[in-house]
Amino acid sequence: MKRIFFRILFCGAIVLYGCRPAAPGRQVISLNGEWQVAKTGGELPVTYPSVASVPGLVDLAAPALDTVGTVYRDSSWYWHKRTFELPGNDFDIVRLKIFKARYHTKVYVNGQFAGENDYCFTPSYYDIGTFLKPGQPNEILIGIGSKAELPNDIPNGNDFEKIKYIPGIYDNVEIMLSGRPFIDNIQCAPDIVNEKLRVVAEVETDRAGGTLSYSVLERASGRKVAGGSAKADSMTSGGYAVADFIVDMKGAQLWTPESPFLYELVLNTGADEKRVRFGMRSFRFDPDRKVALLNEKPYYLRGTNICIYRFFEDPDRGALPWDGQWPVTLHERFKDMHWDMARYCIGFPPERWYDICDSIGFMVQDEFPVWGIYNFQSSRVAEEYRRWMRERWNHPSVVIWDAQNETVTPVTADAFRQVRDLDLSNRPWENGWAEPDRETDAVESHPYLFSRFLHDRNATEPEEGYRKALFGTVQRPFNDASGFSETMRKAGTFFPNPLIINEYGWIWLNRNGSTTTLTDRVYELLWNGSQLTPQERLHIYARHLAMLTEYWRAHRQAAGVLHFCGLAYSRSEEPRGQTSDHWIDIRNLTFEPEFYKYVKPAFAPVGLMIDLWEKAYVPSTTVTAPVHIVNDLATPFEGELTLELLRDGQAVTTIRRTVKAEGYAVEIIPFEITLPDGPGNYLLKAAILLDGEEVFSLRDIELIHSN
C-alpha cells in the first residue's frame, strides 16, 4: 500500500487553500475559486491568458475567451489550471472529486495524466496520490471539451430549444484525504411505517469483517437520537466491504415540505468518518387512486419547472447559479407561489441546490438530460444513471427519478431497469413519452391546449369562442406516453399509471412582454397581439395561465400540476427563444407583477375555479355559475365564499355563502346570478380567504344582445 506524506501547513494556509474543517480521519479540501484558463484545439496549453471561477462556465473567464459554446460544432478544449498544497499526514486515500463538468473531462496532476471521464452530468473521481510531490505545491490541470467532442453513445444534454452549449466545471471540485478503511458511499433508506432506518455503506478496505460505529443526530440541534456499531461483513464484486444494518428511529419526525426535518448519520471506521443528511419520509404513487402518497398520505403536487441548462445561456445569468444566497431565494420565491415541487427539467443544477431543497422543504422531480435519442447505448446510459442515483439518493427532496423528456424510445427503460433496484427507497420513475416500466411509476403529460392555434396553420378561433372550445368539457390530459404507444392507440385505451402534468400553457412571453417563436401566431390569432402593448400581453398571459391552472387542478385528472416554466432563458432578440419564465429582475428575483397577482391564487392549496366559459352572454338572463372548491389538504376547509359581478371595479351583484370542502375533495357550489339588463363588459369574481390570503377565480363576462 503506497503512502504519501505531506508537510504540515499552518491554519492560515489551510484556510487560504480552501481546506474546510472535517470530521477526524477525513479532510476535504475545496478547490473552488479562481483558476487560470486557456482555450486550445485539444493540445495542452503553453500559456493561460484568462482567469475563471470554479464552479462556473467558461464564458465567465476574464479576459473573455472567444466563441464560447456559440457554434454547435465547436471542438475547442478549455483548460483549467491551479496549484494546491495538502496538510501533512499519512493518507491512504487522496481522491479528487469533480462534481459535474461538461463536456468530456481530462485530468493531469503535476504533468501526469490522471484519468478522463466523458459523462457530463454526474461526478467523476480520480485517485491522484501517486502523482503528488510531497511537501511541494502541486499543479492540477483539468481539460473540458466541447459538446461536439463527445462520443455519440452517451447523453450529451441536447435540447432542441437551446443555441449555446457552454462548457465548464459547473459544480464543486474537492480532494478527499483519509486513511483506510474508507467509506465510499452511504445509502440511507427510511422505513417510516416501522420507524426504522436501513443503512448500507460501502467501505474501501482490504477485507470484510471490520466494525463501524454510527450516530444519528438531529441536523439542526445536534441532539443524538441513536447510536451503535455495525459490521462490514460482506464483499462486493467491486472490492468493497458492505455494512448493511438497521437503526431504530422510533418517534422520528417526518420530512415534508411543510416541516422539512433533517437528520444526520455519522459513520466512522476508525480511520475515516463520513456524514450524510437524510429525512424520514416515503414517497410513492397509488396506482388505484392515481395520486402521490407522501408519508403514506395523499399529496397533490403543485409546482413548476427549472431549466437550468437553458438559464445557463441567458444573457443575465452571470454567476447567479453559484451565488451563496440567490438559489435559496429562488426556491423561497417558488414556495411563496404555493408550489411544493419543481421538475429540474432536462438537466441538473449544482449539487447545493438539492441541499437547499432538503432544508427549506421543496420536492424535486429530477430529470436526466435526455431529449431525443441518437446512438445511445443503454449500458452506457445505465452507468450514468447509476452514478446519478448514488449521488442523489439520500436527498429527501428528490422524490422521482425522471429518465428523460418527451422521447419515445426503449433505451431509457432498458437502462434504468438495470439500476432502479439499487435505490432502496424505491422511488418511482418517470419515462417521458416512452412506455412506463411499472404501474406505480408516473407518466408525464404535456397538454398544451393553445398549441392547436400554432400547429394547424388554417386554424381560426372557434365560433363558440376559444375558451368554450378549450375549457368547456372535462378532458383527460393528453400528449403523454399513451398517445405515442401504438398498442394503446390501437386498443383505444391508456396506460393505467398516475399522470403528472409537468408542462402546460403554450402562451409564453419573454420577460419584456414580447411573444416567443411558439406563441407569435397564438397571440395574433386570438388577441390581435401585435396591436397590444407588452403590459397588455402580460395581463393576458397571467389571466389565461391562471385559468389553465384552475382547469387542470379542478378536474382532478392528474396527481400533479407543474407549470412551465419557473426558470429558463429569455431570448427576445434573434435568435429568439421558444419559451421563457416570469421574472422582470432576475438578479433580485422579482416576479412579473401580473403573473404573481393572478397565478399565485390559482395554485393555493385550497383553490377555486368558476366553471363558465361562454364567449358572450345575453343581458337580463339568469345563469348558473358553478364554483369548484379544490381542497388539496387533508383537513376540511370551511369559510365564506363570495361571488361578485363587477363593472369597472365596482360590485353590481354580490352573493355570499358559507361553504365546506372535505379534505382532498372537490366541492362544486352552484350560484344563480341574474345578469344586468344592458350590454357591457363585466368581471365575475369568486373569492375565499385562506390563512388571511385572498384566493380568487375570475371570468370575463361580455353581455351582448342576441340576434
Side-chain angles (χ1 to χ4, degrees):
M1 182 183 300
K2 185 173 181 64
R3 296 188 173 184
I4 309 296
F5 295 85
F6 305 96
R7 73 180 163 88
I8 299 174
L9 302 179
F10 293 109
C11 287
I14 291 175
V15 173
L16 174 66
Y17 288 110
C19 182
R20 61 178 170 83
R26 176 181 292 212
Q27 296 186 50
V28 178
I29 296 178
S30 172
L31 296 185
N32 291 353
E34 289 192 346
W35 291 59
Q36 296 175 277
V37 181
K39 176 180 177 180
T40 75
E43 70 279 6
L44 297 182
V46 176
T47 61
Y48 295 82
S50 299
V51 173
S53 291
V54 171
L57 297 176
V58 296
D59 64 341
L60 295 175
L65 302 168
D66 62 332
T67 65
V68 170
T70 57
V71 181
Y72 182 79
R73 293 298 177 187
D74 184 8
S75 57
S76 300
W77 278 76
Y78 299 86
W79 299 94
H80 299 64
K81 185 180 78 168
R82 65 163 290 171
T83 60
F84 64 93
E85 295 184 51
L86 299 180
N89 223 325
D90 184 2
F91 299 112
D92 298 313
I93 301 292
V94 183
R95 185 162 297 162
L96 172 71
K97 178 180 180 182
I98 302 174
F99 282 58
K100 298 185 196 74
R102 59 180 197 173
Y103 302 88
H104 197 162
T105 304
K106 295 182 180 180
V107 176
Y108 293 81
V109 178
N110 293 323
Q112 300 180 75
F113 182 65
E116 64 183 316
N117 172 54
D118 52 13
Y119 292 120
C120 300
F121 314 114
T122 51
S124 56
Y125 298 86
Y126 306 86
D127 289 308
I128 63 173
T130 56
F131 307 115
L132 299 174
K133 299 176 182 178
Q136 300 179 44
N138 293 275
E139 179 186 275
I140 183 169
L141 179 63
I142 301 177
I144 304 298
S146 300
K147 180 171 177 281
E149 287 293 296
L150 283 178
N152 61 11
D153 60 348
I154 63 169
N156 56 23
N158 186 70
D159 181 338
F160 300 108
E161 297 177 10
K162 281 174 50 62
I163 57 173
K164 294 183 179 180
Y165 294 86
I166 306 171
I169 305 172
Y170 64 104
D171 210 335
N172 297 332
V173 180
E174 65 184 29
I175 297 175
M176 293 172 284
L177 310 170
S178 177
R180 276 197 179 93
F182 172 78
I183 305 165
D184 186 71
N185 189 270
I186 300 173
Q187 182 175 182
C188 294
D191 176 357
I192 67 163
V193 173
N194 296 303
E195 298 183 290
K196 305 287 186 182
L197 175 73
R198 183 181 175 187
V199 178
V200 177
E202 296 175 359
V203 182
E204 225 176 281
T205 184
D206 295 329
R207 58 185 175 81
T211 300
L212 299 81
S213 63
Y214 70 86
S215 299
V216 176
L217 313 175
E218 293 180 350
R219 174 71 178 177
S221 69
R223 185 177 74 90
K224 183 176 179 179
V225 299
S229 61
K231 288 189 176 296
D233 53 9
S234 65
M235 293 291 288
T236 69
S237 58
Y240 292 101
V242 177
D244 188 342
F245 58 97
I246 302 296
V247 180
D248 187 352
M249 296 292 293
K250 190 172 182 59
Q253 297 192 51
L254 301 183
W255 187 97
T256 68
E258 296 74 27
S259 179
F261 198 89
L262 292 172
Y263 292 92
E264 184 175 61
L265 174 72
V266 184
L267 197 59
N268 193 296
T269 68
D272 181 33
E273 183 171 285
K274 184 175 176 67
R275 295 168 176 255
V276 295
R277 301 192 314 178
F278 68 94
M280 291 295 290
R281 72 106 184 90
S282 66
F283 183 92
R284 63 185 179 92
F285 286 100
D286 184 328
D288 298 320
R289 289 183 284 177
K290 307 290 191 281
V291 298
L293 299 179
L294 177 65
N295 299 329
E296 298 304 310
K297 297 178 181 178
Y299 201 98
Y300 287 96
L301 309 172
R302 304 183 308 275
T304 190
N305 283 255
I306 294 176
C307 294
I308 187 67
Y309 295 167
R310 293 185 188 178
F311 184 60
F312 279 174
E313 68 177 44
D314 188 85
D316 296 324
R317 177 259 301 162
L320 293 176
W322 306 280
D323 181 81
Q325 182 58 40
W326 189 85
V328 178
T329 304
L330 176 74
H331 289 86
E332 289 174 344
R333 294 280 195 272
F334 289 164
K335 290 201 72 170
D336 183 52
M337 286 292 298
H338 301 302
W339 295 335
D340 49 47
M341 185 179 196
R343 171 181 173 232
Y344 282 170
C345 179
I346 327 180
F348 303 144
E351 199 65 22
R352 179 171 173 264
W353 288 41
Y354 298 89
D355 293 334
I356 291 168
C357 292
D358 292 344
S359 297
I360 72 171
F362 201 68
M363 294 183 292
V364 174
Q365 177 177 347
D366 211 23
E367 184 172 83
F368 195 86
V370 167
W371 188 11
I373 293 290
Y374 300 94
N375 296 307
F376 299 166
Q377 293 181 10
S378 63
S379 60
R380 298 215 66 194
V381 177
E383 172 56 25
E384 195 164 15
Y385 282 173
R386 185 188 70 85
R387 298 184 187 194
W388 163 35
M389 295 166 65
R390 287 169 63 84
E391 183 75 352
R392 222 50 64 74
W393 54 26
N394 292 319
H395 288 287
S397 59
V398 176
V399 295
I400 301 171
W401 305 118
D402 189 340
Q404 48 105 335
N405 173 64
E406 289 188 348
T407 304
V408 182
T409 175
V411 172
T412 49
D414 287 347
F416 69 69
R417 286 187 191 114
Q418 298 175 46
V419 298
R420 72 175 297 164
D421 290 339
L422 298 175
D423 177 19
L424 301 177
S425 294
N426 195 27
R427 290 171 176 84
W429 281 76
E430 195 257 87
N431 194 25
W433 286 345
E435 183 174 344
D437 186 43
R438 299 175 183 175
E439 287 192 1
T440 50
D441 288 340
V443 167
E444 74 177 14
S445 174
H446 298 170
Y448 282 117
L449 297 181
F450 282 91
S451 68
R452 70 172 67 177
F453 301 113
L454 172 72
H455 294 317
D456 182 355
R457 306 307 296 180
N458 298 315
T460 58
E461 182 178 359
E463 184 176 348
E464 72 271 30
Y466 68 88
R467 285 177 294 182
K468 181 75 170 179
L470 299 182
F471 303 113
T473 58
V474 180
Q475 57 187 307
R476 181 189 182 276
F478 55 93
N479 226 15
D480 60 37
S482 295
F484 291 95
S485 165
E486 184 177 356
T487 301
M488 293 295 111
R489 289 199 308 270
K490 285 182 177 179
T493 187
F494 308 99
F495 290 115
N497 302 66
L499 290 174
I500 297 180
I501 298 174
N502 53 27
E503 292 188 30
Y504 63 97
W506 210 279
I507 46 175
W508 299 286
L509 294 174
N510 292 303
R511 295 175 196 150
N512 65 3
S514 63
T515 52
T516 73
T517 62
L518 295 179
T519 61
D520 295 335
R521 191 166 186 273
V522 177
Y523 277 85
E524 195 60 34
L525 178 65
L526 299 181
W527 303 298
N528 198 19
S530 61
Q531 303 304 309
L532 301 175
T533 67
Q535 192 59 35
E536 288 170 332
R537 285 192 292 268
L538 288 166
H539 178 80
I540 290 171
Y541 186 12
R543 286 285 310 279
H544 286 79
L545 189 56
M547 291 182 208
L548 285 160
T549 303
E550 293 170 8
Y551 176 83
W552 291 121
R553 290 187 63 200
H555 294 309
R556 284 286 199 248
Q557 298 289 304
V561 177
L562 278 62
H563 133 276
F564 194 91
C565 181
L567 182 70
Y569 53 46
S570 183
R571 296 204 320 257
S572 56
E573 304 295 330
E574 294 295 342
R576 297 164 61 220
Q578 286 67 53
T579 65
S580 189
D581 52 36
H582 302 275
W583 307 102
I584 58 171
D585 182 344
I586 194 66
R587 178 167 294 277
N588 294 302
L589 292 170
T590 304
F591 276 126
E592 193 282 312
E594 297 285 296
F595 168 79
Y596 187 77
K597 176 180 179 179
Y598 294 111
V599 178
K600 178 181 177 179
F603 275 104
V606 180
L608 300 176
M609 182 187 76
I610 301 174
D611 199 8
L612 282 182
W613 309 104
E614 300 295 338
K615 185 175 182 178
Y617 298 84
V618 177
S620 302
T621 57
T622 298
V623 299
T624 300
V627 178
H628 295 235
I629 306 174
V630 184
N631 188 0
D632 285 354
L633 305 176
T635 55
F637 169 81
E638 295 184 63
E640 185 176 76
L641 172 60
T642 301
L643 187 72
E644 293 182 297
L645 187 65
L646 305 167
R647 186 168 192 182
D648 298 327
Q650 301 298 313
V652 297
T653 301
T654 301
I655 305 172
R656 292 184 175 88
R657 189 173 298 174
T658 300
V659 296
K660 181 177 181 179
E662 298 295 339
Y664 307 128
V666 176
E667 300 291 341
I668 303 176
I669 311 298
F671 285 83
E672 298 291 326
I673 184 168
T674 301
L675 300 175
D677 58 7
N681 294 311
Y682 294 81
L683 185 67
L684 190 62
K685 177 180 180 180
I688 59 173
L689 283 179
L690 182 67
D691 297 328
E693 177 185 335
E694 186 183 49
V695 176
F696 58 86
S697 175
L698 304 174
R699 293 293 176 267
D700 293 306
I701 303 294
E702 182 182 6
L703 301 184
I704 59 173
H705 289 296
S706 60
N707 294 329

